[in-house]
Amino acid sequence: MLIRRSYLQSKLETELALALTDLGIKFTPYVRLPQRLRYAYDVGLDDLNALIEYHPAARLADISAVVSKARIADVDIALARVADGSVVAFLDACPHRGASFAKTRLLANDTAAQCPYHGFTYNLRDGLLQSGLGCSEGCGRLAMLPVFVDDGLVWHGYRTITGETRIACTAEQVLDNICDNIHLPMVHTFGNREDPVPHEYIALRSSPHDGVATFRYCTSSTSAFAFLSKSKYLAVLNEYRLPFTVGTTVTTEDGLVKVICAHARDVGPRECAVFWSLTRNFMTSPLLDPVVDGIMRMTLAEDAAILVKCDPRHARGKFHSRYDALQVMRRHAMRNLGR
Ligand code: FES
Ligand SMILES: [Fe+2]
């Protein structure tokens, strides 16, 4: 029911976009996902369950054996109609050197895509490399993405799960900890102790109430992304929105996106409730929700295990590393807000 509601909302927006197209204004179904999630936090926690996002990618009539391109939630997607008439979607970046497939024609009776840069071809059933100069078959893979067709439109879906977790520390400690990226290698199973450095770390205050830090992090062999993606680096975007919301968006080089939003409130002298959502564009089958939920809860348990050892009176720290910029900015902003 909730899925349907969110889907219907998307459809209404799409009707509007299509009407604009008919008036000669370009149809661009571009949505920046974190803002949509933040909006849901603003309207209230009850709406968290509505966070199953469907985005129109294209009109079915516009999809043919010539690859077309859509941009959704900061990701370029290639769409094509294959031999049996179905629509396939994949990340529009060749895994060899990142070229776009847009406007190329499918090969092998419309079952394969050929990259226009070095001519490598990929089977569109599973994305595996079919042939490429100097490469053996199957040594690379396109990132195939989930799509479905409804009402003459091609839809791309992100799947969200939500939950509530109690932690025996203050809400401030939890929010501070999520902004703190250098705890990842030490505290988390998915962290990379071999290469713990956040590369190209930049932190910016975007308004008196919002701040963001971006960096690249080397994928560890214990992270789920090591199995799901060929990406050597993860691009991480950490953000806070005062007073009580923080978010982390992780994107792989081959287009997998995971967004975690958390909203923490004190419910006792040393207990807080963390309301969280996790959105992803991989493992999107509802059957896999329990697996994703289990990983998220394990991650929060790892955070809880260290936070219960921290004295909240020292939460502001006696000194800071250069990678503590985001949480320091957030604390200053909270003070300015009178909290
Ligand atoms: S970038 Fe696609 S084949 Fe080289
Ligand atoms: Fe953590």
Side-chain angles (χ1 to χ4, degrees):
M1 205 54 203
L2 287 164
I3 295 175
R4 200 66 199 158
R5 196 183 74 171
S6 176
Y7 182 39
L8 281 176
Q9 284 169 346
S10 298
K11 282 188 79 156
L12 288 175
E13 289 162 17
T14 307
E15 295 298 330
L16 183 65
L18 289 173
L20 290 174
T21 311
D22 292 339
L23 291 173
I25 301 168
K26 199 171 174 327
F27 168 41
T28 43
Y30 171 77
V31 184
R32 192 171 138 66
L33 191 65
Q35 276 167 11
R36 296 288 297 264
L37 292 176
R38 286 207 301 244
Y39 168 73
Y41 277 95
D42 288 345
V43 296
L45 294 172
D46 289 347
D47 283 81
L48 280 178
N49 285 328
L51 286 175
I52 294 163
E53 300 270 340
Y54 289 97
H55 302 293
R59 294 189 211 230
L60 180 61
D62 294 339
I63 305 300
S64 67
V66 175
V67 177
S68 52
K69 179 170 169 171
R71 186 167 176 81
I72 298 175
D74 283 346
V75 177
D76 286 327
I77 293 177
L79 295 150
R81 202 189 289 241
V82 291
D84 66 2
S86 60
V87 174
V88 294
F90 51 95
L91 185 76
D92 189 29
C94 176
H96 177 225
R97 295 273 297 282
S100 164
F101 289 79
K103 301 204 174 112
T104 59
R105 186 158 234 307
L106 299 189
L107 299 180
N109 295 325
D110 298 345
T111 59
Q114 182 174 44
C115 174
Y117 195 175
H118 307 98
F120 292 11
T121 60
Y122 299 87
N123 188 326
L124 290 177
R125 213 181 36 247
D126 49 17
L128 280 174
L129 181 76
Q130 258 178 352
S131 65
L133 275 179
C135 290
S136 47
E137 194 178 333
C139 76
R141 186 177 214 153
L142 285 179
M144 303 302 290
L145 300 169
V147 280
F148 64 96
V149 173
D150 183 47
D151 221 8
L153 291 170
V154 182
W155 295 82
H156 176 55
Y158 280 74
R159 185 143 186 96
T160 298
I161 56 166
T162 61
E164 180 188 337
T165 302
R166 299 282 170 120
I167 300 184
C169 66
T170 65
E172 266 312 296
Q173 284 179 289
V174 168
L175 296 166
D176 201 82
N177 174 62
I178 295 174
C179 292
D180 164 11
N181 58 74
I182 51 172
H183 81 282
L184 301 180
M186 287 298 287
V187 169
H188 290 298
T189 311
F190 61 77
N192 191 347
R193 285 202 188 192
E194 307 298 312
D195 189 356
V197 184
H199 300 273
E200 298 161 23
Y201 180 85
I202 299 170
L204 291 168
R205 193 189 323 264
S206 24
S207 85
H209 303 113
D210 301 76
V212 58
T214 59
F215 59 95
R216 291 198 307 144
Y217 185 67
C218 201
T219 320
S220 99
S221 57
T222 50
S223 144
F225 285 128
F227 303 100
L228 299 168
S229 156
K230 296 250 179 294
S231 186
K232 181 162 185 263
Y233 286 100
L234 305 173
V236 184
L237 184 150
N238 265 1
E239 55 192 318
Y240 65 77
R241 168 169 260 213
L242 296 192
F244 305 123
T245 302
V246 288
T248 300
T249 302
V250 182
T251 310
T252 69
E253 287 162 334
D254 43 11
L256 306 188
V257 181
K258 181 177 80 172
V259 184
I260 293 173
C261 275
H263 180 98
R265 302 300 291 264
D266 286 318
V267 291
R270 212 177 159 193
E271 184 181 21
C272 68
V274 183
F275 302 93
W276 52 264
S277 68
L278 188 156
T279 298
R280 78 269 185 191
N281 71 348
F282 53 92
M283 292 169 61
T284 46
S285 162
L287 296 175
L288 293 169
D289 281 354
V291 178
V292 180
D293 183 85
I295 294 173
M296 181 64 190
R297 287 180 192 279
M298 185 186 89
T299 302
L300 283 169
E302 289 171 344
D303 286 315
I306 188 70
L307 288 174
V308 297
K309 292 184 190 166
C310 296
D311 185 331
R313 289 171 303 176
H314 291 110
R316 288 173 193 281
K318 298 276 192 238
F319 71 96
H320 305 296
S321 91
R322 57 183 286 231
Y323 300 119
D324 288 327
L326 188 68
Q327 61 268 41
V328 171
M329 259 165 28
R330 185 180 170 282
R331 290 176 208 150
H332 284 166
M334 282 293 270
R335 263 209 296 282
N336 291 341
L337 202 67
R339 300 254 178 189

